[in-house]
Amino acid sequence: MTDWTRASALEMSAALRAGTVTSVELVQAHLDRIAGVDGAVHAFLHVNTEDALAVAASVDADRAAGVDLPLLAGVPIAIKDILVTKGMPTTAGSKILEGWMPPYDATVTSKIRQARMPILGKTNMDEFAMGSSTEHSAYGPTHNPWDLDRIPGGSGGGSAASLAAWEAPLAIGSDTGGSIRQPAAVTGTVGVKPTYGGVSRYGAIALASSLDQLGPCARTVADTAALHEVMGGHDVMDATSLDQPVPSCLDAARDGATNGLKGVRVGVVKELGGDGYQAGVKQRFEEALDHLRAAGAEIVEVSCPSFVYAMGAYYVILPSEASSNLAKFDSVRFGLRVERDTIEQTMGATRAEGFGDEVKRRLVLGTYALSAGYRDAYYGSAQKVRTLIQRDFVAAFEKADVLVSPTTPTTPFKLGERVDDPVAMYLNDIATIPANLAGIPGMSLPSGVAPEDGLPVGFQILAPAHEDARLYRIGAALEKALVAEWGGSLASMAPELEVTR
Ligand code: GLN
């Protein structure tokens, strides 16, 4: 009997169309898998059993009746708990939203429903997407399926772990400074942050509005491409949404896998590598460059000198925007309310009890950075650095069609190891943050395991704004070469989890 949880989303789509499997069977197989392993992994905060099966049954009925259905109709998906979902609890990993039932759908949620994809549930995340390990979730951490004692990345650790644990073939993430790409890197999966504005943010609980972007997560490049096309597109409900056609991601992935990379210039960013990067991470990165060369690409070195200030600028801009965005959690409008004598006291007590330490740390920092007398010194300076980083990218993209680097400096670390050391935690995103500051698209795909610890390593590809298709072309070409070398996908090489039910 076929274990459908091991198939790719596009394989599931083909099997559904060929009639060799039903959507109900696919959804049930994933629900069984979740029941069997999620006690140990804890990728899900909410499992949407009845609704997922009902959607699957309606898709099967329509297919039997000959209705023309979208490509991914009937293929199940997991959604990060940052996206509001009507009739399904949405917490953003925070206690302050415990029990909140959104009265509406995010635009991306609606698109998933229109694509007739059964939603398996909501995935765990660091509270309000602040973190790199999911240890800042108010509901306990997610565990990395490669080694349950290690972090699955963050903030979207739940989405990435659900893929690596075969609990879902597709997932949605959000990336403000790396929360799609870093979890993908440390779980041996694929994650894409689209161009800023390429995917509607309406109904995505805001962390830092000038940096946030939703994106696709999967185990293969082509699957992320297919999901990107479902998620993308202009939305009048989001003032920053780009009024442009959705990029042809799937065609680009097929082109890269079929035709190679002749004439493509790949720029290695000098500042993203070297000191502080684990030896095995650097080794796998160099080997990936060899594969790109063999596929016909030309490798050039580029320098982006302002990147050394990216972290500093990010940790002023993000807390500033977050302190404004999170002001709405005031005990009146949503979720938790801790009653006191006056409304001021009630608001204070609610926020004191509802927010975790990392959120409070950033709200204090952001409020301070925006206060009179400091705004120009901190926020103003950070915005200037942002411009310098954007200029570095413009110059680099004159020399290269895409830029590449390791996604993270190290393989996944142990749970508990950095949770009390914010700076060590922040350093995970040193290579991913520049893309958010510039609004450009980026992908992380698996480039093997580090020889010293056998844990996954991610390869990052960055493209100019609006050129998301390039990520898929280069990513698919590299993936094809690596999968041929490994004799299978990296995901299939993870140790088997014990099934408890
Ligand atoms: N880890 C980064 C942070 O803590 C990125 C978060 C994100 O992309 N949402 O801010």
Side-chain angles (χ1 to χ4, degrees):
M1 202 185 92
T2 313
D3 179 357
W4 284 104
T5 63
R6 306 286 159 143
S8 74
L10 288 172
E11 284 164 354
M12 291 180 204
S13 159
L16 286 165
R17 279 176 287 134
T20 43
V21 72
T22 64
S23 179
V24 168
E25 286 167 343
L26 289 180
V27 169
Q28 194 58 58
H30 287 93
L31 291 171
D32 290 347
R33 178 73 183 167
I34 292 169
V37 300
D38 210 52
V41 177
H42 193 223
F44 284 87
L45 293 178
H46 172 75
V47 181
N48 185 38
T49 308
E50 285 85 36
D51 173 61
L53 286 168
V55 170
S58 83
V59 171
D60 289 338
D62 280 356
R63 202 181 299 278
V67 175
D68 194 21
L69 291 163
L71 179 67
L72 294 178
V75 179
I77 186 166
I79 295 184
K80 187 176 181 180
D81 206 27
I82 201 159
L83 214 56
V84 306
T85 41
K86 189 174 178 177
M88 239 182 275
T90 301
T91 68
S94 182
K95 198 175 154 193
I96 212 161
L97 280 177
E98 191 165 16
W100 182 56
M101 201 61 100
Y104 71 110
D105 272 334
T107 295
V108 166
T109 308
S110 309
K111 283 175 183 276
I112 295 298
R113 295 198 206 267
Q114 278 155 22
R116 309 288 301 276
M117 301 170 70
I119 299 171
L120 292 167
K122 305 296 290 290
T123 58
N124 198 12
M125 56 183 284
D126 286 296
E127 185 175 7
F128 289 109
M130 300 182 195
S132 303
S133 68
T134 72
E135 292 168 290
H136 297 310
S137 167
Y139 304 97
T142 298
H143 299 258
N144 191 322
W146 283 78
D147 174 349
L148 294 171
D149 292 333
R150 290 179 189 267
I151 61 116
S155 63
S159 280
S162 75
L163 302 167
W166 311 98
E167 294 170 288
L170 296 169
I172 286 176
S174 71
D175 192 311
T176 304
S179 286
I180 288 176
R181 290 163 288 158
Q182 183 256 3
V186 298
T187 57
T189 59
V190 185
V192 176
K193 179 199 107 60
T195 296
Y196 183 76
V199 174
S200 169
R201 291 184 295 108
Y202 177 72
I205 296 172
L207 168 54
S209 306
S210 75
L211 303 165
D212 296 346
Q213 191 56 201
L214 299 168
C217 312
R219 290 182 296 257
T220 71
V221 170
D223 280 1
T224 49
L227 180 56
H228 190 147
E229 292 189 15
V230 172
M231 298 171 70
H234 183 238
D235 179 18
V236 292
M237 300 299 279
D238 174 358
T240 62
S241 167
L242 292 168
D243 194 359
Q244 285 180 359
V246 182
S248 299
C249 307
L250 209 41
D251 282 350
R254 289 191 184 122
D255 178 37
T258 316
N259 300 322
L261 299 177
K262 204 162 162 30
V264 175
R265 297 166 307 161
V266 172
V268 175
V269 184
K270 205 174 88 184
E271 289 76 11
L272 303 178
D275 284 352
Y277 285 73
Q278 191 179 319
V281 169
K282 289 196 274 193
Q283 184 186 331
R284 293 303 180 224
F285 178 69
E286 292 299 328
E287 289 165 6
L289 294 182
D290 290 339
H291 281 299
L292 291 173
R293 253 185 227 107
E298 180 197 346
I299 311 291
V300 297
E301 190 182 84
V302 300
S303 176
C304 296
S306 305
F307 282 16
V308 292
Y309 306 114
M311 275 263 301
Y314 175 86
Y315 277 102
V316 173
I317 294 169
L318 179 141
S320 299
E321 295 187 14
S323 74
S324 167
N325 277 325
L326 271 60
K328 64 179 164 284
F329 301 104
D330 59 1
S331 78
V332 177
R333 285 173 262 226
F334 312 91
L336 185 73
R337 181 177 174 97
V338 180
E339 208 66 55
R340 290 286 183 273
D341 294 341
T342 67
I343 185 62
E344 284 80 8
Q345 288 169 355
T346 298
M347 285 181 182
T350 301
R351 287 168 70 85
E353 198 174 309
F355 288 142
D357 287 349
E358 180 63 20
V359 170
K360 286 178 185 157
R361 185 179 292 129
R362 296 197 197 190
L363 294 184
V364 169
L365 192 65
T367 306
Y368 176 78
L370 289 179
S371 55
Y374 297 109
R375 199 185 52 201
D376 291 341
Y378 296 113
Y379 191 72
S381 304
Q383 292 291 19
K384 287 179 189 158
V385 170
R386 192 169 185 173
T387 302
L388 294 178
I389 287 164
Q390 285 162 352
R391 286 186 192 157
D392 277 0
F393 272 124
V394 170
F397 283 126
E398 272 166 21
K399 299 201 185 90
D401 303 302
V402 291
L403 304 179
V404 296
S405 75
T407 311
T408 55
T410 68
T411 54
F413 48 90
K414 287 241 163 75
L415 286 158
E417 200 178 286
R418 299 189 193 170
V419 68
D420 297 321
D421 184 348
V423 175
M425 191 71 90
Y426 299 167
L427 282 167
N428 278 287
D429 302 310
I430 199 145
T432 48
I433 282 172
N436 300 77
L437 290 170
I440 66 165
M443 168 187 285
S444 179
L445 74 154
S447 67
V449 295
E452 58 269 36
D453 56 21
L455 294 165
V457 174
F459 185 87
Q460 177 175 240
I461 309 171
L462 303 171
H466 318 294
E467 299 293 347
D468 304 49
R470 281 186 206 171
L471 303 176
Y472 294 101
R473 179 173 172 213
I474 316 301
L478 176 57
E479 176 185 64
K480 187 182 175 190
L482 288 169
V483 168
E485 180 190 308
W486 301 329
S489 72
L490 194 70
S492 63
M493 283 156 211
E496 281 299 327
L497 291 165
E498 197 187 327
V499 177
T500 55
R501 229 183 84 181

